[in-house]
């Protein structure tokens, strides 16, 4: 596994906060399992970054989702909908060739300060 990149988990942009891409890392390693487990961890990581920025899931206005295969969309969507069940944010989901560390799922988000 290559070295962990240096990046800021979030950046304030006026009333908006940009949340860097979150993958299923726990303690510097991808969680065991497949897309379901990685999605759950990526969502947990996203919620943790939101919390550190003083925000909650209800502050999220846009999520960009990257999957290495659309075959994982259904299992991803089940986990995603469990977190964003009430007034879900706008979102985009695309398939990409590859993600860091061999991840199957990556999420990035925009949230607003109220």
């Amino acid at each position: 596994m290559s070295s962990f990149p240096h990046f800021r988990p979030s950046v304030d942009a006026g009333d908006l906060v940009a949340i860097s891409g979150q993958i299923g890392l726990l303690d510097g390693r991808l969680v065991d399992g497949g897309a379901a487990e990685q999605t759950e961890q990526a969502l947990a990581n996203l919620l943790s970054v939101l919390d550190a920025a003083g925000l909650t899931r209800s502050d999220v206005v846009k999520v960009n989702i990257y999957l290495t295969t659309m075959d994982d969309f259904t299992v991803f969507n089940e986990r995603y909908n469990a977190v964003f069940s009430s007034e879900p944010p706008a979102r985009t989901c695309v398939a990409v060739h590859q993600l860091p560390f061999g991840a199957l799922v990556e999420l990035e988000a925009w949230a607003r300060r109220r």
Side-chain angles (χ1 to χ4, degrees), residues 6-44:
H6 177 72
F7 72 99
R8 292 167 60 186
S10 67
V11 176
D12 284 340
D15 290 340
L16 293 175
V17 177
I19 309 296
S20 294
Q22 301 297 312
I23 60 176
L25 287 179
L26 179 63
D27 299 326
R29 298 180 54 91
L30 278 177
V31 295
D32 290 334
E37 293 79 9
Q38 287 187 30
T39 297
E40 288 175 3
Q41 187 61 51
L43 286 163

Side-chain angles (χ1 to χ4, degrees), residues 51-66:
D51 185 58
L55 300 166
T56 69
R57 71 188 81 195
S58 65
D59 297 313
V60 176
V61 295
K62 176 73 164 89
V63 178
N64 293 321
I65 303 146
Y66 307 97

Side-chain angles (χ1 to χ4, degrees), residues 93-114:
C93 183
V94 297
V96 297
H97 173 71
Q98 197 171 12
L99 291 168
F101 301 103
L104 302 173
V105 177
E106 183 169 2
L107 308 162
E108 65 180 19
W110 285 88
R112 70 167 179 239
R113 294 202 183 276
R114 297 176 192 245

